[in-house]
Amino acid sequence: MLELRPNCECCDKDLPPEATDALICTFECTFCAECVEHVLGGVCPNCGGDFAPRPIRPAAMLKKYPASTKRVLKAEGCGPASKAA
């Protein structure tokens, strides 16, 4: 089950469960569309993978399976990604 992380790991923008601009990689790293396009160049800085739109969990399912409240932020900042090994 996806964690549905609450923020962009790059700029710390809030990304609530219903956000349509939340993007994830295969490891659930979560970034806003603005950072993916203009800062990261479409490449995850953590794993080197690409991004897909994060699915929106139906409101009824959020009650049973709530979104994560743990914020993740890259302490070293975000810059253009290089392919991870």
Side-chain angles (χ1 to χ4, degrees), residues 22-31 36-37 40-54 81-84:
L23 299 170
I24 59 172
C25 74
T26 62
F27 291 97
E28 298 183 52
C29 302
T30 304
F31 297 90
V36 167
E37 182 178 345
L40 304 174
V43 179
C44 179
N46 301 322
C47 71
D50 61 355
F51 291 96
R54 183 180 71 186
S82 59
K83 292 283 184 186

Side-chain angles (χ1 to χ4, degrees), residues 35-75:
C35 285
V36 167
E37 182 178 345
H38 299 290
V39 178
L40 304 174
V43 179
C44 179
N46 301 322
C47 71
D50 61 355
F51 291 96
R54 183 180 71 186
I56 295 174
R57 188 169 297 155
M61 290 286 97
L62 276 172
K63 289 181 181 183
K64 187 172 182 178
Y65 304 103
S68 174
T69 58
K70 181 180 177 194
R71 297 180 84 82
V72 176
L73 188 62
K74 294 184 70 56

